[in-house]
Amino acid sequence: MDLTELGDRVARVAEEHATRTDRDAVFPAEALAELRATRLLGLLVPVEHGGLGGTTEDVVDLGIRLGRADMSVAMIFTMHCQQVAAVVRHAAEPLRSQLLGRLGQGQEYLASVTTEAGKGGHLLSAEAALHGDGSRLHVDRFAPIVTGGAHADGFLITMRSPDAESPNEVSLVYAHRDQLDVSGSGDWQPMGMRASHSIPLKLVGSVPAHQVIGQHGKFPEISTTIFAPMAHLGWSATWLGTAAGALSRVLRLLRGPEGRKRFDVGSELLLTRLSRARQRLDGVHALLRRATDTVRDALDLSVPNHQLLLNALKITAAEQCHAAVQDLIDAVGLRHGYLKDSPTRLEQALRDLRSASLNYSNDRLHLADGRLALLDPEVRLV
Amino acid sequence: MDPRFTELLAPFLKFGKDKQITPESNLRALGLDSMRSIELLFAIEDTYGISLPDDEMTDATFATAGSLWHAITAQLPDETGART
């Protein structure tokens, strides 16, 4: 079965439950079950480990497809793929075969535990430290935001390396839910992305020493080569899909019998607004494809012009996808732009997309980009 | 490595106090973040009167004291700085 069909299956389930999961701010359990059943959870797992052997481009395609149906489901999927990519590239035996086997069967949904109180989302430092006694690593970690944490089968957790001399020595460790005492705290009542169920979690337990992903202290490298690029590509695909789905529903409304009665499709204002929304999405799409190719082909993603391209993708997608939905709300007005029960679902798309510039803050990325720009005085465009 | 270089490096490594800087010293672990990398770059260029090429602006160049020193010596006119 081809990936488009599998994506359509998950999208149908996501769409069926989207109104309820948004209203109740609950995790899309049915869509996750379909991601398991289709084995899309093992998309990036190599065929020899029982996975679908997919590529980064496939993650992007499916992120867009699922985003058209439900932004939270798309985000949950692409973030899981980011975790799987790190396992595929860096996990060592015996963890590698065990975990990839389960992932390939769709038995393992991985959540990311990188946030920590007091470090402002700074990925490359960690306060809570792993303690090792030779054969085991002890985990005691609080994270303020863990997307899907209540439903995850396993976690990839950043922590300060054992015996680290500074908070900048960070390791990535895998823990299965059964190896941890997982306790939640606090309520989840956000403006949008309500089905992402991104809750605070406390994780306590111990794992065999071989469950470190890559070597101790190697997280910065995993971040530059996998976590950051996969996050930017996955999020941007998710946002683009959300805005594309919104535009598509608006266009179907305008072309349908009710729409043709209600709207004047000869209106220059309406046409211009539709044009602007479409223009924004084509711009983001081109940037997304270019960045996907760069991640596939680049020998060293740490060079400033590659970093700048990836950051520009994230910033641009966050701004333009949100702006496109704003355009559409103005285009169709109160009834179909502002009411929850409109088939355009613009109201939810706008709330969901409002998170895009905050999710790994655009403000902070601009500061990084300013510094990176100074390191590329020749301005070598990718 | 040139003692002038290790002296220049020290203030940029907030977790490197009282530690001997060797070619293997991991600069990121010792506290060199991206903001400080820019300031360090300017300090190096002022001190040695050189300009590091754009191609050297990678994580690998800034990984250890030794890798950074290697990038500097490659730009020194007659490689006066001993590499050890």
Side-chain angles (χ1 to χ4, degrees):
Chain A
M1 194 179 291
D2 76 0
L3 292 176
T4 314
E5 249 174 84
L6 298 179
D8 287 347
R9 272 176 58 183
V10 179
R12 270 197 298 275
V13 174
E15 207 142 8
E16 195 184 315
H17 296 275
T19 304
R20 176 184 54 83
T21 54
D22 175 60
R23 184 190 64 219
D24 299 345
V26 292
F27 190 82
E30 297 80 4
L32 177 63
E34 197 66 8
L35 282 167
R36 291 183 194 277
T38 53
R39 292 181 33 211
L40 281 176
L41 283 188
L43 174 66
L44 289 182
V45 175
V47 176
E48 64 266 30
H49 289 281
L52 296 176
T55 63
T56 303
E57 196 182 355
D58 294 328
V59 176
V60 167
D61 289 341
L62 285 160
I64 296 172
R65 176 66 191 95
L66 298 180
R68 284 169 172 263
D70 187 307
M71 184 163 143
S72 290
V73 170
M75 173 82 82
I76 286 163
F77 172 71
T78 58
M79 285 184 65
H80 165 82
C81 289
Q82 174 201 39
Q83 310 300 300
V84 177
V87 173
V88 169
R89 192 90 69 90
H90 289 282
E93 295 296 352
L95 176 67
R96 182 181 174 77
S97 294
Q98 294 164 0
L99 186 50
L100 289 179
R102 288 202 300 275
L103 283 162
Q105 293 303 311
Q107 291 166 355
E108 184 109 6
Y109 164 49
L110 291 175
S112 165
V113 183
T114 55
T115 57
E116 197 166 16
K119 68 173 189 179
H122 189 359
L123 264 182
L124 300 181
S125 71
E127 293 303 321
L130 284 166
H131 293 285
D133 59 13
S135 66
R136 297 192 74 79
L137 294 166
H138 299 278
V139 174
D140 185 346
R141 174 83 154 79
F142 173 75
I145 302 174
V146 183
T147 293
H151 295 260
D153 306 294
F155 302 87
L156 290 195
I157 308 163
T158 56
M159 291 189 71
R160 197 183 293 191
S161 309
D163 308 316
E165 293 183 346
S166 83
N168 292 11
E169 290 180 53
V170 181
S171 299
L172 185 66
V173 65
Y174 165 77
H176 190 269
R177 178 174 281 276
D178 294 346
Q179 294 171 318
L180 298 170
D181 178 19
V182 181
S183 49
S185 63
D187 196 18
W188 167 247
Q189 281 301 345
M191 175 196 282
M193 293 304 288
R194 292 171 60 79
S196 73
H197 205 247
S198 304
I199 51 169
L201 279 188
K202 170 105 171 141
L203 308 171
V204 182
S206 84
V207 301
H210 70 257
Q211 288 188 197
V212 63
I213 307 282
Q215 291 153 340
H216 281 297
K218 285 291 177 199
F219 181 68
E221 195 187 312
I222 297 174
S223 175
T224 306
T225 55
I226 297 173
F227 263 48
M230 289 297 285
H232 290 347
L233 295 176
W235 289 334
S236 301
T238 296
W239 302 330
L240 177 60
T242 304
L247 174 58
S248 174
R249 291 188 296 271
V250 165
L251 296 173
R252 293 203 188 286
L253 173 79
L254 293 176
R255 288 184 48 177
E258 192 215 345
R260 270 177 289 163
K261 261 183 267 164
R262 182 187 279 263
F263 297 97
D264 171 13
V265 291
S267 153
E268 292 187 0
L269 194 51
L270 176 63
L271 292 171
T272 302
R273 281 171 170 155
L274 293 177
S275 162
R276 277 198 204 288
R278 177 67 191 237
Q279 171 201 357
R280 294 183 199 278
L281 301 194
D282 277 320
V284 171
H285 185 241
L287 192 48
L288 174 59
R289 296 300 178 185
R290 180 68 180 159
T292 306
D293 291 348
T294 301
V295 168
R296 183 190 60 208
D297 300 334
L299 297 175
D300 184 354
L301 283 172
S302 79
V303 294
N305 56 353
H306 290 154
Q307 298 267 310
L308 282 159
L309 178 72
L310 279 163
N311 291 348
L313 167 65
K314 191 272 163 186
I315 293 168
T316 308
E319 287 173 353
Q320 296 300 312
C321 295
H322 181 260
V325 174
Q326 293 270 34
D327 291 335
L328 294 173
I329 290 173
D330 282 326
V332 299
L334 266 177
R335 165 71 191 93
H336 284 292
Y338 200 72
L339 300 190
K340 274 184 190 290
D341 63 355
S342 165
T344 62
R345 287 159 50 204
L346 291 175
E347 182 269 344
Q348 184 185 347
L350 189 75
R351 279 188 289 109
D352 286 349
L353 282 167
R354 186 60 188 82
S355 69
S357 65
L358 308 173
N359 187 14
Y360 209 94
S361 157
N362 279 11
D363 285 347
R364 199 169 48 221
L365 275 177
H366 274 302
L367 292 180
D369 278 1
R371 296 194 283 262
L372 288 162
L374 284 167
L375 294 178
D376 183 31
E378 201 185 310
V379 189
R380 296 185 297 178
L381 303 170
V382 179
Chain B
M1 294 186 296
D2 183 353
R4 233 183 356 160
F5 173 61
T6 46
E7 218 169 282
L8 178 157
L9 209 45
F12 294 94
L13 306 176
K14 65 176 168 179
F15 303 114
K17 290 188 186 70
D18 312 320
K19 282 180 197 145
Q20 171 98 26
I21 295 173
T22 69
E24 287 74 40
S25 296
N26 179 328
L27 298 182
R28 197 198 292 267
L30 293 177
L32 186 71
D33 58 23
S34 58
M35 188 64 232
R36 302 193 73 97
S37 300
I38 311 271
E39 292 163 1
L40 171 60
L41 178 70
F42 292 166
I44 289 168
E45 298 191 340
D46 290 348
T47 303
Y48 291 96
I50 56 169
S51 176
L52 290 181
D54 292 359
D55 286 337
E56 295 287 349
M57 298 299 122
T58 63
D59 284 355
T61 298
F62 288 90
T64 63
S67 60
L68 185 54
W69 178 239
H70 183 81
I72 295 168
T73 53
Q75 301 306 315
L76 293 175
D78 51 359
E79 296 222 6
T80 43
R83 287 204 181 192
T84 48

